[in-house]
Amino acid sequence: MTMSDDPTTDALRYGGLAGWDLEGFHTGADTEIWKRLGSHLVTVDGPEGPVSGTRFAVWAPQAKAVSVHGDFNDWSGQPMELLPGTGVWVGFVPGVGAGALYKYSVQTQWGEWLEKADPMARYAEIPPASASIVWESDYTWSDQEWLERRAEADLHAEPMSIYELHLGSWRKGKSYREVTEELVEYVTWQGYTHVELLPLSQHPYEPSWGYQVTGYFAAQSTFGNPDDLRHLIDRLHQAGIGVIMDWVPGHFPKDSWGLGRFDGSALYEHADPRQGEHRDWGTYIFNYGRNEVKSFLVSNALYWLTEFHVDGLRVDAVASMLYLDYSREEGQWVPNIYGGRENLEAIDFLRYVNSHLQKRVAGIAMIAEESTSFPGVTLPVEEGGLGFTFKWNMGWMNDTLSYIEDDPIYRQYHHNNLTFGLVYAWSEHFILPISHDEVVHGKGSMINKVPGDDWQKFATLRAYYAFMWSHPGKQLLFMGSEFGQRPEFNEAVSLEWWVSDLWGHHGLQLLLRDLNRVYRSHPALYTADSDPAGFAWIDAGDASGNTISFLRRGTGGEQLAAVINFSPVPREAMTIGLPSTGSWHEVLNTDSEIYDGTGKYGNLGQVEALAEPWNDFPARASVVVPPMGAVWFSQDPVEQNPGHESDR
């Protein structure tokens, strides 16, 4: 098929799409391909005047024929035409408007007909139905103030505490709009700076939690239409809350109507299963070396950042992308051109997507879930790194959870699990994650990881969270962990909100609220996260006592001392070194009665540091540290411990 000499005829055939519109797609340079492929409401010039309808365009270069069928043609199908030299099939259907249902029928080179959803659809039917839906947004945003402030922020020097949630079970059965005000109110009350949403791209299988995506450009329709999601994000921004969304460029499922073998050939994935399949997950792996696939994925990332005003993407399973032998036995993988195990094409892709997005959208965060010691994950691309803004600190998470899972009597033999993270704390820009992955599949909920009776469980968890919030790095906590839900995460049911009114649970919830408040009001805890000068050990060696103490310093000279006791024995006269004399205010005590602690072990609001050297510090103070508790001291002129003022 060729272009005709009659522009009117071509407009009706191709809906205004021309071959040159797709040149960037084929070179990998078009990062807004959703504007060209997929379904679009257009008006074209016909012989008798303008004609309105929908243009359908889909990439299927190996197909013998493609047709679009939907509720507008009784699902009988309308043949599409191959736009010369592009591998893209196009069809313009007059009279079709927003809300129309459709699918593509794709005939392979072997004559088999495949029924496929549109890879570029921006809306889709509620699963298990799988038709695509014609959609154009008419949403008007009201978050300009937030976007302007975001563009000026230095994320590494800003407070960042992230509340991770699975939207489908945070309040089970509620839509985007129905959950909006509750989520805004709760996150504001708790004091988190950001929410992180498990993937909200269209996915058919609820137990995948969104990590097996069939519609990369469609918001999950179970909860409403795309503009309903825009409304949720807009309201969070208006409340001063950032929105991070999980993004899954590492693999995609094999559903027959999805991306896999789209035109009968391995189009989006590698043909060789040693490169193109995750056997453990039953999914396909994207072919990062193919220009059109790069265009598809980078466009998808940019789509969520620009069309939905998302503030950052947490990139799932980065390690599986970086290594060709990931979860593979010898002989089941193909080495790179140098004989190594690194996936050079995936590495180039990650560098491309990170550098491109950060140039295009000011102030966004790109976050890697990367579980190995791959070097330079958060190093800038121009310095040879991957260019991520942050990396999840999986080593810190594994070590410290292992520590609190031990009985206190055995913790002295594993003290290194508490302290080792500071050996490499500045090798990357880290987020400390207690995510959904840590409270599923038999790992136990956070409260049930801790041995002992309920008093010990809640006290230890309060101390652990205080340790986490005072440790260099940003923080992430999965929903339900903030009030000590006992069952593991289960996407099929709602959180057990009713327990948050009970003893222990409510105190823990109030502690998280105050941790966030104190954290955000003390620059010592976040402005120098990326600088080793922002941290100093007071005492890292008290293994037998199960205690650690350290100093945090802000870029403006602010100082905060944290002392944590993971033993059941109170320290009623513990000596610590301090950098200056004078009054140090107790700004947090996890044993306060308001947190359902004993209220017996405090420092009457402050301690006095005397000019008596201790270790490498010029001053010393005697402090009271509760059993399985933590206290923070600041020399800034701050208010009394908010735990004494919180209301129930």
Side-chain angles (χ1 to χ4, degrees):
M1 300 177 186
T2 59
M3 301 287 283
S4 72
D5 294 327
D6 184 351
T8 301
T9 300
D10 285 340
L12 287 173
R13 289 168 65 188
Y14 304 119
L17 194 67
W20 54 78
D21 294 320
L22 299 167
E23 290 177 358
F25 176 55
H26 297 303
T27 63
D30 188 346
T31 58
E32 297 182 351
I33 194 59
W34 74 86
K35 295 181 178 180
R36 282 158 276 284
L37 299 183
S39 58
H40 291 274
L41 302 182
V42 296
T43 300
V44 299
D45 291 328
E48 299 178 2
V51 180
S52 296
T54 296
R55 181 188 70 220
F56 298 93
V58 63
W59 179 51
Q62 299 301 317
K64 289 179 66 177
V66 180
S67 63
V68 58
H69 55 123
D71 58 1
F72 47 84
N73 59 21
D74 294 325
W75 300 95
S76 59
Q78 174 173 320
M80 300 170 71
E81 296 194 50
L82 185 62
L83 191 60
T86 67
V88 172
W89 297 77
V90 186
F92 174 69
V93 186
V96 173
L101 303 178
Y102 70 99
K103 284 188 177 183
Y104 296 124
S105 283
V106 180
Q107 188 181 31
T108 71
Q109 291 294 321
W110 302 273
E112 180 186 5
W113 284 93
L114 308 175
E115 187 178 81
K116 293 287 187 177
D118 188 349
M120 307 297 299
R122 288 166 289 161
Y123 192 22
E125 282 189 294
I126 296 174
S130 57
S132 303
I133 303 176
V134 177
W135 178 264
E136 296 289 351
S137 175
D138 60 1
Y139 188 80
T140 301
W141 290 89
S142 301
D143 63 347
Q144 190 59 35
E145 182 180 344
W146 166 268
L147 296 180
E148 290 173 358
R149 188 165 65 248
R150 184 189 76 184
E152 300 299 321
D154 176 3
L155 287 173
H156 296 133
E158 295 279 329
M160 180 179 281
S161 60
I162 305 166
Y163 185 58
E164 185 194 34
L165 68 143
H166 175 255
L167 197 64
S169 56
W170 189 75
R171 295 280 190 183
K172 188 71 176 177
K174 296 205 170 186
S175 68
Y176 293 123
R177 287 188 179 268
E178 289 169 341
V179 83
T180 293
E181 295 310 316
E182 288 179 272
L183 183 58
V184 168
E185 180 182 1
Y186 184 72
V187 176
T188 300
W189 178 75
Q190 278 276 283
Y192 293 95
T193 66
H194 291 73
V195 296
E196 180 172 323
L197 304 170
L198 270 61
L200 287 177
S201 302
Q202 187 76 9
H203 56 277
Y205 185 53
E206 186 182 28
S208 80
W209 311 326
Y211 291 100
Q212 296 206 7
V213 178
T214 51
Y216 274 80
F217 290 81
Q220 180 69 3
S221 56
T222 306
F223 311 123
N225 67 47
D227 284 354
D228 294 334
L229 176 56
R230 287 181 171 93
H231 169 76
L232 170 59
I233 295 169
D234 198 2
R235 282 291 294 115
L236 285 163
H237 283 173
Q238 292 170 45
I241 301 163
V243 180
I244 299 164
M245 193 180 85
D246 284 12
W247 185 51
V248 192
H251 63 121
F252 60 91
K254 295 182 177 180
D255 298 79
S256 62
W257 41 269
L259 294 179
R261 302 298 193 264
F262 190 82
D263 60 2
S265 69
L267 194 59
Y268 290 89
E269 68 275 25
H270 276 283
D272 188 334
R274 295 176 299 168
Q275 297 171 286
E277 292 189 36
H278 277 305
R279 296 289 175 85
D280 291 351
W281 301 339
T283 54
Y284 287 127
I285 300 171
F286 283 105
N287 182 351
Y288 305 106
R290 190 163 196 170
N291 286 334
E292 293 87 353
V293 173
K294 286 192 288 189
S295 177
F296 175 85
L297 288 172
V298 180
S299 293
N300 183 244
L302 186 63
Y303 173 79
W304 289 106
L305 296 172
T306 57
E307 297 295 312
F308 285 82
H309 292 199
V310 168
D311 301 292
L313 298 173
R314 177 268 198 183
V315 184
D316 180 60
V318 170
S320 75
M321 300 171 65
L322 294 176
Y323 295 105
L324 296 164
D325 63 345
Y326 182 86
S327 192
R328 295 177 187 273
E329 301 294 333
E330 191 67 34
Q332 294 181 352
W333 58 282
V334 180
N336 62 36
I337 58 173
Y338 304 109
R341 58 195 284 258
E342 295 79 13
N343 189 333
L344 303 179
E345 293 173 341
I347 291 168
D348 286 344
F349 163 74
L350 289 170
R351 287 172 172 162
Y352 176 32
V353 71
N354 284 329
S355 58
H356 183 77
L357 296 178
Q358 289 164 3
K359 289 174 184 175
R360 291 288 303 272
V361 191
I364 56 99
M366 295 297 291
I367 303 167
E369 187 222 6
E370 202 282 309
S371 55
T372 73
S373 56
F374 190 91
V377 172
T378 58
L379 196 68
V381 170
E382 56 270 23
E383 297 177 26
L386 295 183
F388 282 97
T389 319
F390 294 105
K391 170 182 171 174
W392 275 18
N393 193 337
M394 311 294 278
W396 175 90
M397 176 272 298
N398 283 313
D399 286 348
T400 60
L401 288 184
S402 176
Y403 180 86
I404 65 168
E405 288 170 358
D406 276 331
D407 187 282
I409 197 170
Y410 300 117
R411 287 174 182 162
Q412 60 184 309
Y413 306 114
H414 305 285
H415 193 70
N416 189 54
N417 284 341
L418 278 187
T419 61
F420 182 65
L422 275 304
V423 173
Y424 60 87
W426 300 279
S427 62
E428 301 278 5
H429 296 293
F430 282 121
I431 289 173
L432 311 179
I434 299 298
S435 74
H436 64 279
D437 280 332
E438 311 322 315
V439 292
V440 291
H441 301 325
K443 295 179 182 177
S445 64
M446 283 299 290
I447 194 67
N448 284 336
K449 291 180 188 296
V450 183
D453 59 24
D454 269 4
W455 190 91
Q456 293 172 311
K457 287 177 181 289
F458 282 107
T460 300
L461 202 51
R462 293 193 301 268
Y464 179 79
Y465 288 154
F467 167 57
M468 177 178 175
W469 255 250
S470 54
H471 193 285
K474 313 307 181 183
Q475 302 86 33
L476 177 143
L477 189 65
F478 186 57
M479 66 179 197
S481 300
E482 79 277 15
F483 59 81
Q485 173 167 301
R486 295 182 191 270
E488 289 188 328
F489 166 46
N490 181 354
E491 79 288 337
V493 297
S494 186
L495 290 181
E496 291 188 347
W497 287 103
W498 60 274
V499 306
S500 65
D501 292 329
L502 302 179
W503 178 91
H505 300 277
H506 189 60
L508 186 62
Q509 189 180 43
L510 290 178
L511 173 72
L512 262 299
R513 177 193 185 195
D514 285 344
L515 281 175
N516 280 323
R517 287 184 171 186
V518 178
Y519 168 69
R520 295 175 74 164
S521 65
H522 284 77
L525 291 172
Y526 58 82
T527 56
D529 269 333
S530 301
D531 187 350
F535 176 90
W537 281 113
I538 296 173
D539 187 354
D542 184 21
S544 62
N546 297 170
T547 73
I548 56 170
S549 51
F550 51 83
L551 189 73
R552 295 296 309 278
R553 301 187 183 98
T555 54
E558 306 88 354
Q559 302 180 105
L560 184 143
V563 188
I564 302 99
N565 175 16
F566 284 108
S567 84
V569 180
R571 307 301 185 205
E572 300 192 55
M574 179 177 175
T575 299
I576 61 170
L578 289 170
S580 55
T581 61
S583 297
W584 284 72
H585 300 274
E586 183 185 86
V587 295
L588 186 89
N589 185 328
T590 64
D591 192 49
S592 295
E593 288 184 271
I594 197 66
Y595 308 137
D596 295 328
T598 69
K600 296 178 180 179
Y601 302 98
N603 294 275
L604 301 177
Q606 66 182 39
V607 296
E608 292 297 319
L610 306 177
E612 300 173 359
W614 190 88
N615 285 355
D616 294 327
F617 292 93
R620 72 169 68 194
S622 178
V623 302
V624 177
V625 190
M628 296 176 175
V631 285
W632 292 354
F633 301 97
S634 171
Q635 208 170 34
D636 302 328
V638 296
E639 295 182 1
Q640 190 180 15
N641 178 1
H644 300 310
E645 300 174 354
S646 300
D647 54 47
R648 289 179 181 269

